[in-house]
Amino acid sequence: YADPYEGGKQAVAEAYRNICAVGAKPLAITNCLNFGNPQRPEIMAQFVGCLEGMADACRALDFPIVSGNVSLYNESKATGGGSAILPTPAIGGVGLMEDVSKMATIGFKNEGDYILLIGGDEAESTPAPHLGQSIWLREILGKQDGDAPFVNLDLERDTGKLMRGLIIGGITNAVHDVSDGGLLVAVAEMALAGNIGAEIEIVGSDKVFELQSMFSENQGYYLAAVSTKNMAEVEARCFEAGIECISIGRTGGIEINIAEVNDGKDDAIISSIPLTELRAAHESFFKDWME
């Protein structure tokens, strides 16, 4: 809705990312394109923009559409078309793993693994946290403002190839793509899946930037849990590929902690939440809502 073209690219890119995150090679997609009344110019503009974004992503990622369907007129006449659904391209992707025993999963496996944020061009400066249209903006501030996040399709392709190589090489212990909710939500999902906590570090001198980065929805990023013995190889492969690799913390414990790192001083925990509390919030929503 904020940007149909970028949104169409993002829908395809996230399906691509999901498949790469298990170590499979993306092959093709199917789609279900859900829109309002195309006889209204603004709805047809959404439809066309979304298709153009999807098409550019499919070409750049070599990820063709092999089937799909379209659902139109999803709105109510009672409100004069004012209740049209948001433009929603639902994408399903399929990929291939030569050896399923090497498939990556999202759950943390060990205490003391490094948590690496992998993505972005190493030669460029770290991009500003993108909070426009984010879950954080909607849930915490009650706003749906800003631009859609930009999707760099060349970086998506290169980072996906890098991640598949790391996974197939057996030098990662867990991998998850960063998507809705941003980095901290992805960490929480990995912690809950493995029942192992984490400590995420921020640098005191750039505290605001890094706290915003926790919830930014910049595209093309993955989290990987890596043992100490494999750190050098992972960093070397990332450097060779020209992809940025940043250690953001370590696994361990039964909580997710945010720690402020200050030179020459002990880390200061500035926020902490037990996994039991996270799990209760995660698993109780549907039950509470239905009752």
Side-chain angles (χ1 to χ4, degrees):
Y1 184 77
D3 187 329
Y5 176 72
E6 286 298 330
K9 285 165 61 180
Q10 183 179 336
V12 173
E14 186 173 347
Y16 183 88
R17 214 176 300 141
N18 287 336
I19 293 172
C20 291
V22 301
K25 180 180 179 181
L27 295 180
I29 64 172
T30 185
N31 64 70
C32 178
L33 306 178
N34 306 281
F35 292 83
N37 179 358
Q39 295 175 331
R40 294 167 57 199
E42 66 274 23
I43 300 296
M44 179 55 83
Q46 292 173 358
F47 189 56
V48 171
C50 188
L51 287 178
E52 290 176 343
M54 289 172 58
D56 282 351
C58 288
R59 293 186 191 101
L61 301 174
D62 192 19
F63 201 30
I65 296 170
V66 296
S67 65
N69 71 298
V70 178
S71 177
L72 301 173
Y73 299 96
N74 292 289
E75 58 186 60
S76 170
K77 288 184 178 179
T79 59
S83 59
I85 66 164
L86 293 174
T88 309
I91 304 296
V94 63
L96 178 67
M97 267 205 97
E98 297 291 347
D99 184 350
V100 73
S101 69
K102 295 181 179 179
M103 182 181 75
T105 56
I106 73 170
F108 290 143
K109 309 297 187 302
N110 310 299
E111 302 252 347
D113 280 354
Y114 286 92
I115 304 171
L116 304 181
L117 178 65
I118 299 174
D121 190 334
E122 189 179 48
E124 297 181 1
S125 58
T126 303
H130 190 100
L131 295 172
Q133 301 299 329
S134 65
I135 300 293
W136 178 85
L137 192 69
R138 186 186 74 192
E139 296 299 325
I140 304 303
L141 296 188
K143 296 180 179 180
Q144 288 184 277
D145 294 334
D147 296 328
F150 173 71
V151 182
N152 184 323
L153 295 171
D154 292 335
L155 267 177
E156 282 284 358
R157 183 187 62 245
D158 294 345
T159 310
K161 180 180 178 181
L162 168 68
M163 296 308 300
R164 295 196 303 272
L166 295 176
I167 293 167
I168 293 169
I171 55 176
T172 59
N173 293 329
V175 175
H176 194 16
D177 66 301
V178 179
S179 57
D180 291 353
L183 181 154
L184 197 55
V185 169
V187 169
E189 291 170 345
M190 296 176 83
L192 289 175
N195 203 33
I196 296 175
E199 182 168 302
I200 305 303
E201 298 176 342
I202 65 170
V203 180
S205 62
D206 210 357
K207 186 174 176 179
V208 173
F209 179 89
E210 295 207 31
L211 285 172
Q212 289 177 340
S213 296
M214 297 287 174
F215 299 100
S216 70
E217 296 184 11
N218 297 60
Q219 298 294 295
Y221 286 84
Y222 297 78
L223 288 174
V226 176
S227 65
T228 302
K229 70 176 183 178
N230 288 329
M231 271 289 289
E233 184 173 355
V234 171
E235 289 176 328
R237 290 199 190 190
C238 290
F239 179 78
E240 184 179 354
I243 305 295
E244 192 168 27
C245 173
I246 302 171
S247 175
I248 62 167
R250 303 286 286 267
T251 63
I254 57 173
E255 301 171 326
I256 292 181
N257 296 318
I258 308 296
E260 184 176 356
V261 181
N262 296 294
D263 290 340
K265 299 179 181 178
D266 293 336
D267 294 358
I269 304 297
I270 61 174
S271 183
S272 180
I273 184 167
L275 293 187
T276 52
E277 190 175 332
L278 271 178
R279 195 177 304 282
H282 177 61
E283 295 180 354
S284 65
F285 169 78
F286 192 66
K287 174 179 176 292
D288 292 347
W289 184 63
M290 291 298 291
E291 291 179 352

